Every structure is written in C-alpha cells, then in structure tokens.
Amino acid sequence: MSGGRRLVFTTPLQPELVQRVREVDDRLEVVYPTDLITQPRYQAGHPRPDLDRPGAHEQWDELLAGAEILFDFGPLELVPTLASRERLRWVQGSSAGVGRMVELSGLVDSEVVVTTSSGVHGRPLAEFVVLAMLMFGKNTLNLMRLQREHRWERQLDRPPDEEIRGKTVCVIGLGSIGGEVARVVRALDARVVGAVRSVGTRTAAELGVEELRSTDELDDLLPDADVIVLATPQTAATRRLLDARRLALCKPTAIVVNVGRGDTIDEAALIDALREGRLRGAALDVFEEEPLPAESPLWDLPNVFVSPHAASTAVGENERIVGLFCANLERYLEGRPLLNVFDKEILY
C-alpha cells in the first residue's frame, strides 16, 4: 500500500497502542519504524529519533517525504524540513507545548494542521500542585531532613501545620492544565483567582475562579496569593512573566509552583528571593535550562523541591494520548474539524 495515506510514528509507543491506531481505518498505511525509533529512558517518554545510526538520515528523510500524517515531529535535525514536505497534512504532538517545534518546522506559515495532546496531562500536574501545597503546609522538606538525621523534634518555634482550606491560589494560565489545577484545589476549599492572556468575554465563573484578570493586571493578584501557580505555554509574552519586580510583590509566606515552562520565571531573581526569605519556597517541574545544571543553587536550597520535568507523566498517559489521536484520526478521515488544533497566531 505504498500509495496509501501514510501515517508515520516518530516516537515510541507500546505495540498494543500502535495496533489500536492501525485498527481505526484500513485506508491508513501505518508505519512504525521500530529500528529507527529511539527507545524511552522512562515510561511514557517520547524521545526524538537520533540520526547517529548509519543510513538513519536517509531513511527518515524518505519516511517524512511520504507521510501524510506524523505522530510527533521526527528527528530534530529534520524538523526544519517539514514545511517543504508536499504530502504532509497533519502533525499530532505528544505534548501540549509544541510551540517551539512548530516555529522550528516552519509550519507556522503552512497549511499543515498541528494538533496537541492538551488535556492529557492536566490531572497529574494538578496533583503536583496539591503535593507542593501539602509539602510546604506540612513542613515536609524539613521533616525529611530531620528523619535522615534521626532527630525527633516537634519544632515548637515554628507555627503549626497549615491546611489548604482558605489559601488563596493564583493560577496563571487557565488552559487545560491551569483549569484542572483550579478545579482540584477549589475542591479542597482553597480560594482560586486566575490570570489569562486576554479575558475577552470570558467570566471568572466560566473558568472556575473567583476573580479573573489579564496577565497585564497580574500585579493586582500577586500580593494576596499564598500560592502562585504557573501553567502558561511558552510564548514571547510569557517569557519571565514572573520577574524580579513581580516576585517582590509576593508575600514572604507565598510559594511558587511552576508546571508550565521554565523561562516563565526569572530564575536568578527567584533564587535570590528564596535565599533571602522573600519567598517561602518553590516547587519546580520545569527550568530555564534542562537538565538542571549540577551547579544550580536550586538543587541545594532547603526551601526548593526539584522535579526533573516529570510531573506530567502518569500511568495511562500514552493510552490517553492515543485515545485522543484515534478520535482525531476518525475526524480527519471524515473531513470533520480536529480536536486540540494548535493556534499558529498565538503559538499554543
């Protein structure tokens, strides 16, 4: 079926999930190049293929040339060629944040449709936010240190443990991830306020928050926030959205949780605020540079919890991505609008 509607996988999936895709429609020629796909280092990982193996560059070039549909963007070195692939009509990303890949590929100015896995990772990231709130509210980082030192201390010189109930949580970015964060922490009786790029006609009630502002008005929300959650995509407008000036607006008892993109925070300014006690703590899943350099002070600050960009990974992640992809395949083959279409103007 070399002339068929070719779908090429470029990142790893379990065999049963590939078979599930094959069964969507027999008009599809589904190609899963086992020998070329890079195996994941962890469950549900989606590494990009490398071109180190002899002949890999030529083989991938041929596969991309014949593809109508791609599952993920392929080898990084060949991503800039995607806009020139005449047969390509649709790329399905394995994550929600694909803006950089779309820019690198040149697909911003192309008619090729890009869809994301937005919505798949909302719940695990929302639970990471709850974990962070509980860790700082219950003094967990210090308790772990005391346990390692075999010290039995009630620490009467510190305030009692805190509850999530009654905390003010400021969620910056109310897409599928931020919206789920808002829903989950609101269920634990927190007060949730939110900031979005543009409010437009949307209301606070529609987005599940008590107060809604644009990110231009973020200064009005930060001084009252006990928890600041960053759940924004990566765009020019979000770069260092939480800079030194805005960090200075936060309460010294506030914590920062980043489940969005690393460059949303001015990392040097954050480190200074944490060191000087102008912020209570931070729980970070993303960083300006990844992997986080060994010399980064964030590793050793006693009021920081470091997660290696792993908070979105959960049991069943690939099944959810494939479920979304299969639903979109049916829509695509029937000529119906696709779900999770990437907006090339706002880059998310």
Side-chain angles (χ1 to χ4, degrees):
M1 192 175 173
S2 59
R5 310 187 73 171
R6 182 179 292 180
L7 185 167
V8 177
F9 283 93
T10 71
T11 50
L13 279 176
Q14 298 95 314
E16 64 272 18
L17 296 180
V18 175
Q19 182 59 29
R20 182 176 169 187
V21 173
R22 293 186 194 278
E23 293 171 356
V24 169
D25 196 298
D26 58 13
R27 288 174 290 175
L28 290 171
E29 177 195 3
V30 177
V31 180
Y32 186 89
T34 305
D35 293 342
L36 294 173
I37 286 178
T38 301
Q39 293 308 302
R41 292 181 293 105
Y42 52 88
Q43 187 174 357
H46 293 281
R48 304 198 181 285
D50 63 59
L51 301 179
D52 294 339
R53 172 183 155 174
H57 188 286
E58 292 77 13
Q59 289 175 284
W60 274 115
D61 189 60
E62 183 179 352
L63 285 170
L64 296 179
E68 179 178 338
I69 304 165
L70 286 179
F71 185 89
D72 238 336
F73 291 83
L76 187 61
E77 297 90 335
L78 292 176
V79 168
T81 72
L82 292 183
S84 64
R85 305 290 180 174
E86 294 182 359
R87 295 188 181 184
L88 187 61
R89 296 292 178 269
W90 169 30
V91 180
Q92 169 70 51
S94 62
S95 66
V98 300
R100 277 188 172 176
M101 284 296 104
V102 175
E103 288 184 302
L104 180 62
S105 67
L107 294 178
V108 170
D109 301 315
S110 148
E111 293 185 0
V112 174
V113 176
V114 177
T115 54
T116 75
S117 294
S118 178
V120 168
H121 306 100
R123 184 55 184 255
L125 289 173
E127 292 185 1
F128 179 83
V129 172
V130 173
L131 170 67
M133 295 175 69
L134 289 172
M135 288 182 74
F136 285 100
K138 307 301 181 187
N139 197 32
T140 306
L141 293 176
N142 193 51
L143 287 173
M144 292 171 67
R145 282 190 287 272
L146 292 174
Q147 181 176 342
R148 287 194 298 269
E149 296 167 6
H150 297 194
R151 291 169 58 193
W152 180 278
E153 276 185 28
R154 289 293 299 270
Q155 294 185 289
L156 299 179
D157 59 337
R158 67 175 295 275
D161 288 348
E162 300 169 354
E163 299 175 332
I164 291 177
R165 177 174 53 186
K167 294 290 185 186
T168 295
V169 180
C170 175
V171 182
I172 305 171
L174 288 167
S176 60
I177 294 170
E180 183 68 359
V181 171
R183 188 189 70 80
V184 170
V185 300
R186 193 173 63 248
L188 294 170
D189 300 319
R191 175 178 178 266
V192 186
V193 299
V196 294
R197 180 182 63 87
S198 176
V199 174
T201 60
R202 294 178 293 180
T203 67
E206 288 171 348
L207 295 179
V209 297
E210 292 188 25
E211 185 178 354
L212 180 65
R213 300 290 186 94
S214 74
T215 48
D216 290 338
E217 302 172 295
L218 184 57
D219 293 6
D220 296 333
L221 298 178
L222 292 175
D224 295 324
D226 299 299
V227 183
I228 299 108
V229 180
L230 289 145
T232 65
Q234 187 171 39
T235 69
T238 63
R239 178 169 170 76
R240 298 199 169 176
L241 186 65
L242 205 58
D243 57 12
R245 184 188 65 78
R246 283 193 165 128
L247 287 168
L249 299 175
C250 301
K251 302 193 284 193
T253 54
I255 67 169
V256 172
V257 186
N258 194 357
V259 292
R261 288 293 179 263
D263 67 358
T264 310
I265 302 177
D266 181 337
E267 210 164 87
L270 176 67
I271 289 168
D272 287 343
L274 291 164
R275 276 176 167 163
E276 296 166 10
R278 292 184 283 109
L279 273 180
R280 180 178 184 179
L284 308 170
D285 184 51
V286 289
F287 302 87
E288 286 185 338
E289 181 181 348
E290 296 183 4
L292 183 65
E295 64 273 15
S296 171
L298 292 170
W299 286 111
D300 298 311
L301 286 174
N303 52 350
V304 175
F305 178 61
V306 170
S307 169
H309 205 146
S312 64
T313 302
V315 173
E317 176 183 349
N318 278 348
E319 286 85 349
R320 294 187 193 112
I321 294 173
V322 168
L324 172 63
F325 185 43
C326 288
N328 259 345
L329 272 175
E330 293 176 357
R331 287 170 171 262
Y332 177 80
L333 294 169
E334 294 168 3
R336 294 188 289 138
L338 300 185
L339 306 170
N340 284 5
V341 173
F342 180 83
D343 189 321
K344 296 177 181 178
E345 289 189 9
I346 59 176
L347 294 178
Y348 60 85

